[in-house]
Amino acid sequence: LTAEELGIKGSVPAYLDPSLQPKDLLTGVSFASAGAGFDPITAKLVSVLSLSQQLRYFKEYTAKVKSMVGEKRTHFILGNAVYLVVAGSDDIANTYFLLRARSNYDIPSYTSLMSDSASNFVQELYKSGARKIGVFSAPPIGCVPSQRTVGGGLLRDCADDRNQAAILFNSKLKSKLNSLGQTLSNSRVVFIDVYTPLLQIIQTPKKYGFEISEKGCCGTGVLEVSILCNKLTPPCSNINAHVFWDSYHPTEKTYRVLVTTLLAKYSRYLVG
């Protein structure tokens, strides 16, 4: 949606897509792996590509581009491209709270682990040629339907402990990124606050054209996610009335509202 809004192309293909065309490399690809996080063990717990593996693929990508257009043009492409880093939700919701995989950490120390890892990743991206880097904050993870169900009590309120962890992480992340932006030469390192606009949509859905924000569209809307959204749990009749598609992920309509809002606020720092 971001690439579409910026007029680059209709979608950004996955780098590992077997049908990827060489020309796609020159206008942007995605290295993302759903379920990964800033905490190195988050990806291991769900068997997805870690950030370090994604970085290795990025370096492989760089070599391919260099073989296509030469070193000078590659340097220009890398330096002028916009890099968006989105992680943190699964660290907080799954690794820390659901699986208790970091039981030896309290929330302050765990959010420090996350922000340190995020800072290290941005620095590695910079060393690899990236200059315009936008890092998304953690969202109000305690307000997504699944976290309301498992941590919000009988009334399914927003799970405050998850949200407080996100807020603490975001404050540390913002500080780290601001520091990197000042110390990394010729860089634009931008903290992108998605927590505030998404929380506003969740708390005042009708203002944005939605009716339901505490349940997802598929199944019961309170716990189903991913493959659990299937023929046995048919979706709601009007997806556009919902802020969330399943119990974890927003609907396309929600994402479009967020993308428009975020680009209006941050594009001049990254694209200009």
Side-chain angles (χ1 to χ4, degrees):
L1 297 180
T2 303
E4 181 183 276
E5 192 83 6
L6 293 174
I8 298 171
K9 53 186 178 182
S11 64
V12 179
Y15 173 67
L16 295 180
D17 185 342
S19 63
L20 187 73
Q21 299 300 308
K23 61 181 175 59
D24 289 324
L25 298 176
L26 304 181
T27 53
V29 291
S30 173
F31 300 90
S33 186
F38 290 121
D39 182 345
I41 72 167
T42 297
K44 292 180 181 179
L45 290 170
V46 289
S47 301
V48 299
L49 300 178
S50 65
L51 287 184
S52 58
Q53 179 60 61
Q54 293 174 42
L55 192 62
R56 286 193 284 273
Y57 279 128
F58 175 61
K59 292 176 180 177
E60 180 182 286
Y61 154 88
T62 300
K64 290 181 180 179
V65 173
K66 195 175 294 184
S67 69
M68 292 171 60
V69 299
E71 189 162 346
K72 184 177 180 180
R73 181 64 182 172
T74 299
H75 180 76
F76 176 86
I77 291 173
L78 296 182
N80 287 278
V82 174
Y83 302 78
L84 298 179
V85 181
V86 185
S89 295
D90 292 288
D91 294 320
I92 295 171
N94 296 336
T95 301
Y96 191 82
F97 282 102
L98 180 64
L99 301 176
R100 306 287 177 180
R102 292 287 193 182
S103 57
N104 55 324
Y105 285 76
D106 58 13
I107 290 176
S109 60
Y110 188 65
T111 52
S112 291
L113 180 153
M114 289 173 62
S115 60
D116 288 344
S117 177
S119 176
N120 292 336
F121 181 73
V122 169
Q123 291 177 75
E124 288 299 318
L125 264 182
Y126 178 84
K127 291 176 185 176
S128 301
R131 292 296 178 267
K132 301 177 180 181
I133 306 169
V135 184
F136 280 65
S137 73
I141 192 68
C143 292
V144 307
S146 66
Q147 301 307 300
R148 287 176 181 266
T149 301
V150 300
L154 292 176
L155 297 179
R156 294 185 68 252
D157 295 321
C158 290
D160 188 60
D161 52 357
R162 275 83 163 165
N163 279 353
Q164 289 304 313
I167 290 170
L168 185 57
F169 165 67
N170 289 341
S171 68
K172 294 177 180 180
L173 178 65
K174 184 175 183 179
S175 177
K176 292 272 189 183
L177 296 179
N178 287 343
S179 178
L180 290 177
Q182 293 172 0
T183 57
L184 298 178
S185 177
N186 196 34
S187 70
R188 298 186 189 182
V189 181
V190 180
F191 171 83
I192 299 176
D193 174 23
V194 72
Y195 186 103
T196 303
L198 182 53
L199 185 62
Q200 289 172 346
I201 295 172
I202 293 169
Q203 291 179 333
T204 56
K206 292 185 178 180
K207 179 180 176 181
Y208 299 91
F210 299 100
E211 295 294 329
I212 302 167
S213 63
E214 73 282 359
K215 291 184 178 182
C217 175
C218 91
T220 63
V222 299
L223 206 56
E224 297 88 352
V225 67
S226 185
I227 60 172
L228 296 178
C229 292
N230 52 48
K231 293 179 180 179
L232 298 177
T233 56
C236 61
S237 59
N238 181 14
I239 187 173
N240 287 329
H242 286 255
V243 172
F244 291 94
W245 155 245
D246 56 18
S247 74
Y248 202 87
H249 304 95
T251 59
E252 180 178 334
K253 180 180 175 181
T254 304
Y255 277 123
R256 287 193 179 278
V257 173
L258 285 172
V259 166
T260 300
T261 301
L262 295 175
L263 281 178
K265 184 174 181 180
Y266 296 105
S267 64
R268 66 181 181 273
Y269 300 111
L270 284 167
V271 181

